[in-house]
Amino acid sequence: VYNDKYAKKNVYKQDAFAQYVCGTLYDVQSEFNDALIAYRKSYDGFKQYWKDYKTVVPMRLGEDLVRSAKLMNFAEEMEKFKKEFPWVKDDADSEETAEVMLVALAGKAPIKGDYFIDAKLPDADDNAQHVRVAFPKFVPRPSSVVEVEIAVIGQEGSPHAGKSVKADLMEDITAIAKKDLEDRIDRISAKAIARAIAKYVAERKVREKAGGGLLVNLATDIYNIVSEEADKRCWQLLPGGIYVARLKLAPGTYRLAANFYSKHGSVLDQTVFNDVTLKKGEKKFLPAFCRQ
């Protein structure tokens, strides 16, 4: 609805991560044609993400595109994706293999703050009238997490013991929020300036009716300053980034861990999943969250 309203004005047009999740859910239901459509849209989204937010196309998406095209017997499309993702093997997935998909949320999304532009304009008596315009800006809350993985822990003697997969950054919410605000700042600024002009006109009328005077002028200036505030509404509970990892395992019961690493390689946080039972061909979703 939002993008329909502003046609092609918005840089943020679709959510590549959401399209990817749709593809995996269609996969679970064996709706492979719909899965391929969603993966295609996700791929288009990630190519745009790279241009706008410098978020790379996830390696795993290439495997899903090749596999889905193969399942639909779209040979030409499969070959096209294999050229674009040369590391993908034809046997990337097997009906015998089970899989867990980790969706990890890390850090905190940025919050909005104010920045102000102040000016002096003449009132009816040629006295200086203080005018303030407030604009929103995003204040980042940098995350200490630089890498996420899902790993098998325990399982001594098992061929999967110690197996791990690094997660891809699927959604850089901090970068998206900042770019989206920059994209909309002209529309926001127009409203902020119109609001300031309306207040300026109203305050001139108050000064005229009150006959001016130092106290009246001071009171209207103070009101202008303290009442001016940007629209700082934002979703403060969002994470700073969303990571996804998919780990293929033989059917069985496992103890798994989602590890969140700092830039120094230390584990900042860990979420342990006990007794994760996987059946042949099953896909299981696991959530993890680190606020650091």
Side-chain angles (χ1 to χ4, degrees), residues 29-148:
Q29 300 297 323
S30 298
E31 298 174 12
F32 301 121
N33 186 56
D34 289 329
L36 179 57
I37 292 170
Y39 288 139
R40 284 194 203 117
K41 290 181 179 179
S42 179
Y43 186 29
D44 290 339
F46 275 113
K47 286 188 284 188
Q48 192 64 44
Y49 272 21
W50 170 248
K51 292 179 182 178
D52 295 330
Y53 318 121
K54 302 306 176 188
T55 302
V56 300
V57 179
M59 294 181 63
R60 174 67 211 201
L61 179 56
E63 295 182 11
D64 292 314
L65 285 165
V66 171
R67 175 180 50 79
S68 299
K70 183 178 180 180
L71 288 168
M72 293 302 299
N73 293 316
F74 294 164
E76 186 175 335
E77 191 166 15
M78 183 183 74
E79 291 304 318
K80 171 195 166 189
F81 289 136
K82 285 174 69 176
K83 288 179 181 178
E84 294 182 29
F85 303 95
W87 61 84
V88 176
K89 300 176 182 178
D90 281 344
D91 59 349
D93 278 320
S94 167
E95 293 182 0
E96 301 294 317
T97 305
E99 185 179 60
V100 291
M101 176 172 166
L102 173 72
V103 180
L105 314 181
K108 302 174 185 177
I111 57 175
K112 281 183 180 176
D114 290 299
Y115 78 91
F116 301 101
I117 295 178
D118 294 287
K120 294 285 187 179
L121 296 177
D123 64 11
D125 299 320
D126 240 6
N127 295 315
Q129 182 175 335
H130 193 105
V131 176
R132 166 170 283 189
V133 185
F135 300 95
K137 67 174 181 178
F138 268 118
V139 180
R141 296 187 284 180
S143 173
S144 300
V145 176
V146 298
E147 188 176 285
V148 182

Side-chain angles (χ1 to χ4, degrees), residues 51-254:
K51 292 179 182 178
D52 295 330
Y53 318 121
K54 302 306 176 188
T55 302
V56 300
V57 179
M59 294 181 63
R60 174 67 211 201
L61 179 56
E63 295 182 11
D64 292 314
L65 285 165
V66 171
R67 175 180 50 79
S68 299
K70 183 178 180 180
L71 288 168
M72 293 302 299
N73 293 316
F74 294 164
E76 186 175 335
E77 191 166 15
M78 183 183 74
E79 291 304 318
K80 171 195 166 189
F81 289 136
K82 285 174 69 176
K83 288 179 181 178
E84 294 182 29
F85 303 95
W87 61 84
V88 176
K89 300 176 182 178
D90 281 344
D91 59 349
D93 278 320
S94 167
E95 293 182 0
E96 301 294 317
T97 305
E99 185 179 60
V100 291
M101 176 172 166
L102 173 72
V103 180
L105 314 181
K108 302 174 185 177
I111 57 175
K112 281 183 180 176
D114 290 299
Y115 78 91
F116 301 101
I117 295 178
D118 294 287
K120 294 285 187 179
L121 296 177
D123 64 11
D125 299 320
D126 240 6
N127 295 315
Q129 182 175 335
H130 193 105
V131 176
R132 166 170 283 189
V133 185
F135 300 95
K137 67 174 181 178
F138 268 118
V139 180
R141 296 187 284 180
S143 173
S144 300
V145 176
V146 298
E147 188 176 285
V148 182
E149 72 169 5
I150 185 167
V152 177
I153 54 178
Q155 310 291 130
E156 287 78 5
S158 165
H160 293 295
K163 185 175 182 180
S164 65
V165 171
K166 291 182 180 179
D168 291 307
L169 176 61
M170 303 287 278
E171 194 98 309
D172 188 341
I173 291 174
T174 297
I176 291 173
K178 183 176 181 294
K179 185 72 174 178
D180 182 61
L181 182 60
E182 291 173 356
D183 178 57
R184 295 182 294 115
I185 198 64
D186 288 344
R187 299 196 293 269
I188 294 170
S189 298
K191 292 180 181 179
I193 292 169
R195 181 180 67 242
I197 291 172
K199 288 171 65 177
Y200 166 73
V201 171
E203 288 165 21
R204 281 191 59 170
K205 290 181 179 179
V206 169
R207 291 187 180 198
E208 290 170 8
K209 286 183 179 180
L214 180 62
L215 290 178
V216 173
N217 293 348
L218 181 61
T220 55
D221 278 350
I222 291 173
Y223 172 77
N224 183 290
I225 293 171
V226 300
S227 65
E228 180 63 8
E229 185 179 13
D231 183 353
K232 297 193 291 292
R233 291 174 295 178
C234 60
W235 196 349
Q236 296 189 31
L237 294 180
L238 284 174
I242 302 176
Y243 296 77
V244 170
R246 296 175 71 167
L247 177 63
K248 289 177 284 187
L249 297 166
T253 300
Y254 297 89

